Amino acid sequence: MSSTPLEAIADNSDKLVTTLERPRERIVKSAIELFRQHGIKGVGVDAIAEAAGSNKMTLYRHFGCKDDLVCECLKQVSSEKERIWTDLENAYPGDPAKQLRGWVDEAAQRIFNDLRGCDLVNAAVEIKEAGHPAQKVIMDAKKAHVQHLVELCRMAGVQQYEQLAQALVLLVEGARVCGQSIGIEGPQQRLKQTCDALIDAFSKH
C-alpha cells in the first residue's frame, strides 16, 4: 500500500532528522532504547553502534568504554525526567498544591503506560559491581528528585513535608514494581487514589 503525500513527507522528515543528528546523539539515543528493551548487560557495543548507523571506532571515540556510555544514557534519562518540575510550574503557575497533585497524576500515567518501569531503578538492579560509576549517577538523580518533591510539599503548605514526600516516593516506587511483577491489574491501579488520600491526610495537620 502506497503512502499518501503527507505520510511520505513525514517519513522523509524523520530520515532527515536522523541523518542530521550527530554520531554521539545517535549512539546515546540508540543505547537508551536498546537498554530499555534488552537491559544494559544484554546489549553490546556492536549492537549499539549498528543501531546508531555508526561503528565501534566512532563509539569509542566519544565514549572511552561501555560504562561511560551507560552513565551518559542515565544522565540524559534523568535530565528528561527532571523536566517535570518545569512542566508542572507551567501548568499550574504559582500553585504548589496543584503541582503536587499533578506530580501524582504524571507518576501514575508513567506507570500505567510503560510497564518496563523506571530506567534508573532497572539500571540499579542490574549493576551490582562495587564502585561502578553508574551507581553514583543513579543515586544523585534519585536524591535530586526526592529533594524537589520535598520542596514542593513544603511550598504546598504541608507541615510534615519531608515525611509526605518520602511516603509518596515509597508508594510510587512500589507501584512500579507491582506493575512489572503483577501486571496491569495489580494494586498499582489505586496509586492515584492512595497518593491523594495521603496528601489529604497530611494536609489536615
Side-chain angles (χ1 to χ4, degrees):
M1 183 176 178
S2 60
S3 59
T4 66
L6 287 177
E7 289 173 336
I9 292 173
D11 289 341
N12 289 333
S13 297
D14 289 341
K15 292 176 182 177
L16 180 60
V17 169
T18 301
T19 303
L20 291 177
E21 285 180 330
R22 295 180 178 180
R24 180 185 177 90
E25 295 169 346
R26 296 201 310 270
I27 290 168
V28 173
K29 185 176 180 180
S30 299
I32 289 173
E33 188 55 38
L34 287 173
F35 291 156
R36 283 174 178 162
Q37 292 178 9
H38 308 290
I40 291 172
K41 295 187 180 298
V43 179
V45 292
D46 289 305
I48 295 170
E50 181 179 355
S54 186
N55 54 63
K56 285 174 65 175
M57 183 179 297
T58 301
L59 187 151
Y60 283 124
R61 188 164 62 243
H62 290 281
F63 304 97
C65 60
K66 183 183 175 182
D67 287 350
D68 291 344
L69 174 57
V70 170
C71 288
E72 180 58 29
C73 290
L74 294 175
K75 287 176 183 177
Q76 289 206 15
V77 167
S78 174
S79 179
E80 291 171 7
K81 291 180 182 297
E82 288 303 290
R83 286 208 301 264
I84 184 177
W85 309 115
T86 302
D87 293 342
L88 289 172
E89 176 59 36
N90 290 337
Y92 309 105
D95 195 335
K98 285 188 177 180
Q99 291 174 29
L100 183 57
R101 304 282 182 171
W103 179 88
V104 171
D105 291 342
E106 196 274 344
Q109 286 301 316
R110 278 182 180 269
I111 291 170
F112 297 152
N113 294 336
D114 190 352
L115 293 180
R116 291 176 297 185
C118 171
D119 295 321
L120 298 174
V121 172
N122 291 341
V125 171
E126 271 199 85
I127 300 170
K128 296 297 186 183
E129 299 91 330
H132 193 293
Q135 292 175 342
K136 185 177 187 305
V137 174
I138 296 167
M139 188 178 298
D140 288 348
K142 284 295 185 179
K143 285 182 177 179
H145 193 85
V146 172
Q147 192 54 46
H148 270 112
L149 186 59
V150 168
E151 180 62 15
L152 184 57
C153 290
R154 186 191 68 78
M155 293 174 62
V158 177
Q159 186 174 6
Q160 295 177 302
Y161 52 87
E162 190 169 3
Q163 291 92 326
L164 173 58
Q166 292 173 345
L168 289 172
V169 170
L170 284 172
L171 283 172
V172 169
E173 296 291 354
R176 284 199 180 100
V177 174
C178 286
Q180 290 176 289
S181 59
I182 300 177
I184 59 174
E185 298 303 323
Q188 76 276 7
Q189 288 290 332
R190 294 196 58 81
L191 173 63
K192 184 180 184 306
Q193 297 94 316
T194 305
C195 288
D196 284 340
L198 187 64
I199 293 172
D200 289 340
F202 270 85
S203 298
K204 290 178 182 177
H205 293 289

